Amino acid sequence: MSEKVIGALDEEVTKKLNKDYAKDKRNPIIRHALSRANVDQVIYVSEAAPSVTNHFSVEVKTLPVTNQRQSGRCWIFAGLNVLREIVATKLGLKKFELSQNYISLYDKIEKANFALESCIKLADKDSEDRVLQFILFMPVSDGGQWDMFVNLVNKYGLVPQDAFPETAQSNSTRALDQLVNAAIRKFAADAHKLYVAGKAEEIRPLKDEVMGKIYTMFLNAFGVPPKKFDFQYEDEKGKYHIVKNLTPKSFFEKYVGSLVDDYQSLINSPTKDKPYGKNFTVDFLGNVVEGKPINHLNVEMERMKEAIIAQLKDGLPVWFGSDVGFYRTRELPYWDSKSFDYETTFGIPLEFSKEDMLDYRHSAMNHAMVITGVDLVGGVPQKWKIENSWGGDNGIAGYYIMSKEFFDTFVYQAVVLKKYLTAEEVSATEAEPTHLKPWDPMGTLAD
């Protein structure tokens, strides 16, 4: 007879587990329900929905929602949704989109270049180096951060969507990402071999060759962007306008301009490694090599909400990053931590502190959206209106309602104009930032 191993799921342990399962009369009901429906449908708490009605005391009227389709470009869509409101307000537009494909194309190109440059910096490291492994896990993905978005629009400008529309590849990016990441990983392997062989001078010419092939691949997939275009539109009174011979840069400077540089990323990370009132950057996180590094100012949640509300009251929407992996579905408009009863159904409690959720990798940012409204009672926010980029067939014409509990628990980042910060906070953003590891949770939106 084999020796008993502590902790093993041996016959004695599994016999007890099966006996306990059979004793619980709820299990057959749960099992039968799960055989015909997904988990969220079975554990949905219908009475939670009326607690978050679709009315808000502060609301920014925004344009119809956009649709990122089978891509992870939420941060680009959210960023462009903020900027298009600036253009629409200036011109009196009722319907308007900026080209997501245009920014996505250059993001892919810049990310590939950023990753290749990172591989050059780490050419002396072998394949087991943790930083190199992290970079090579997904060197080019659809994700990104606000400061990465600003780098792109400052460098390349903007174009209306009809000047550079979506393609099949921009709407569904997985296949191309696999190809470009294979090329980057091969370059990392070849660069290390050249370094070990004492041929480091051959690494950069190899990088230029690989980058050229990647550049060509993305142009073929996303299209060749326009150098000049005519901007045609109808204003809110139905009057036709045309502005001729714009470039992406001149369009950006004419209708948006330096305002994008006035925004600051705030994060709420109640972890011991990130004191409030200090700013942080994430190593090896970026896209434009020569661009602005990531800069997050960590603040308490109440302070973040104050800044968000101030911006909303001035009629300006707010870009933000959240975890949307729990207590919500794409179809239902109400996101509330009481909407799904995991504990009664499975006996597994999922509630623990925000600090522990971050430290123990239970929760992190995975989706960017836009805050367009808040309902205040006695100055205290009760719920928030959210503009998503999942199309108009979900939620309430594509918009969602987020309860205060969901917001406090799962919102980690918001981007506001610096005029809504205190002088002390602005000064803190200008200090030398603390460098975080590439895998820190405050960088996960870019994964």
Side-chain angles (χ1 to χ4, degrees):
M1 187 174 179
S2 60
E3 184 178 349
K4 183 177 178 62
V5 177
I6 296 175
L9 286 174
D10 55 26
E11 184 178 357
E12 181 182 348
V13 173
T14 54
K15 184 177 180 180
K16 182 181 184 305
L17 290 173
N18 285 323
K19 184 178 180 181
D20 291 343
Y21 176 84
K23 282 196 308 184
D24 192 333
K25 301 304 181 183
R26 297 174 303 171
N27 285 326
I29 300 171
I30 296 170
R31 185 173 71 248
H32 297 157
L34 290 173
S35 71
R36 303 296 294 175
N38 66 41
V39 171
D40 287 342
Q41 291 174 318
V42 171
I43 66 174
Y44 176 64
V45 181
S46 59
E47 56 266 32
S51 66
V52 276
T53 55
N54 189 28
H55 300 286
F56 301 87
S57 58
V58 178
E59 184 174 353
V60 181
K61 299 300 182 182
T62 46
L63 299 175
V65 297
T66 54
N67 194 340
Q68 68 188 75
R69 301 193 186 278
Q70 303 301 312
S71 73
R73 299 172 291 160
C74 57
W75 61 290
I76 291 175
F77 274 72
L80 292 177
N81 287 343
V82 168
L83 298 190
R84 71 172 175 157
E85 297 295 338
I86 297 171
V87 181
T89 299
K90 285 183 177 180
L91 303 178
L93 305 179
K94 291 184 176 180
K95 187 177 181 182
F96 176 66
E97 288 189 37
L98 292 162
S99 173
Q100 299 92 358
N101 187 29
Y102 181 77
I103 297 300
S104 299
L105 165 65
Y106 285 116
D107 177 58
K108 295 291 188 185
I109 290 170
E110 290 284 358
K111 274 181 184 160
N113 186 61
F114 191 95
L116 292 171
E117 287 295 316
S118 298
C119 291
I120 292 176
K121 291 179 183 178
L122 299 170
D124 61 325
K125 308 297 183 184
D126 63 30
S127 61
E128 294 185 358
D129 180 78
R130 186 179 181 188
V131 173
L132 181 62
Q133 283 187 348
F134 182 84
I135 291 170
L136 294 181
F137 176 74
M138 192 65 72
V140 174
S141 69
D142 286 352
Q145 271 286 347
W146 172 261
D147 289 320
M148 295 164 64
F149 174 76
V150 172
N151 287 337
L152 292 168
V153 298
N154 274 332
K155 183 171 182 177
Y156 294 103
L158 296 166
V159 302
Q161 190 187 61
D162 55 14
F164 195 57
E166 296 283 281
T167 70
Q169 303 306 318
S170 65
N171 278 327
S172 182
T173 54
R174 181 177 298 179
L176 278 182
D177 285 351
Q178 289 178 333
L179 285 172
V180 69
N181 288 333
I184 292 168
R185 291 168 189 139
K186 186 177 187 307
F187 170 76
D190 292 341
H192 180 66
K193 290 173 184 175
L194 289 171
Y195 180 88
V196 171
K199 300 178 181 179
E201 71 280 1
E202 297 181 21
I203 295 177
R204 188 154 293 279
L206 176 61
K207 180 256 180 175
D208 294 340
E209 178 185 345
V210 174
M211 189 63 227
K213 294 176 180 178
I214 291 172
Y215 193 93
T216 298
M217 181 183 73
F218 280 128
L219 285 185
N220 284 335
F222 288 71
V224 178
K227 293 183 179 179
K228 285 191 175 182
F229 59 92
D230 296 337
F231 179 34
Q232 302 179 66
Y233 64 92
E234 279 189 6
D235 63 25
E236 57 192 344
K237 297 180 180 179
K239 184 179 179 181
Y240 171 82
H241 300 262
I242 181 169
V243 184
K244 294 186 175 182
N245 294 319
L246 289 168
T247 67
K249 288 284 287 184
S250 67
F251 178 90
F252 169 68
E253 290 162 2
K254 182 178 180 67
Y255 296 111
V256 178
S258 61
L259 180 66
V260 294
D261 296 315
D262 293 335
Y263 284 97
Q264 174 62 43
S265 166
L266 305 179
I267 58 171
N268 175 242
S269 180
T271 52
K272 293 181 176 61
D273 63 327
K274 299 181 186 71
Y276 290 130
K278 303 294 182 182
N279 66 329
F280 299 86
T281 192
V282 182
D283 287 340
F284 289 99
L285 176 61
N287 51 2
V288 178
V289 169
E290 72 276 21
K292 174 188 174 183
I294 301 300
N295 186 293
H296 295 317
L297 177 66
N298 194 27
V299 297
E300 295 185 49
M301 178 52 80
E302 292 307 310
R303 180 67 194 104
M304 178 184 284
K305 289 188 286 189
E306 286 176 3
I308 292 170
I309 292 168
Q311 185 159 305
L312 290 174
K313 285 183 175 180
D314 280 350
L316 299 171
V318 178
W319 187 104
F320 78 113
S322 178
D323 180 356
V324 298
F326 303 96
Y327 305 111
R328 64 95 197 156
T329 67
R330 183 181 289 260
E331 298 80 15
L332 295 172
Y334 306 108
W335 293 0
D336 185 90
S337 54
K338 299 179 180 65
S339 292
F340 297 92
D341 188 355
Y342 297 98
E343 187 168 355
T344 298
T345 308
F346 300 110
I348 301 175
L350 295 182
E351 294 184 14
F352 47 111
S353 72
K354 196 169 186 176
E355 177 184 6
D356 286 344
M357 287 197 301
L358 287 169
D359 282 342
Y360 290 89
R361 312 303 273 184
H362 176 61
S363 177
M365 287 185 286
N366 53 34
H367 192 47
M369 297 170 286
V370 179
I371 303 169
T372 65
V374 62
D375 189 39
L376 301 175
V377 176
V380 179
Q382 303 300 307
K383 59 182 183 290
W384 304 80
K385 184 175 183 180
I386 307 301
E387 177 185 355
N388 211 334
S389 53
W390 291 345
D393 294 334
N394 300 298
I396 303 172
Y399 286 81
Y400 291 83
I401 300 167
M402 186 180 287
S403 74
K404 61 180 180 180
E405 292 85 2
F406 191 106
F407 190 98
D408 289 350
T409 304
F410 294 115
V411 169
Y412 294 105
Q413 180 183 11
V415 174
V416 299
L417 290 166
K418 290 181 181 178
K419 68 179 181 179
Y420 301 112
L421 304 181
T422 66
E424 184 180 9
E425 288 167 341
V426 172
S427 178
T429 69
E430 297 167 350
E432 180 64 28
T434 298
H435 287 251
L436 303 173
K437 299 294 185 183
W439 44 85
D440 190 90
M442 291 302 109
T444 54
L445 192 54
D447 289 352

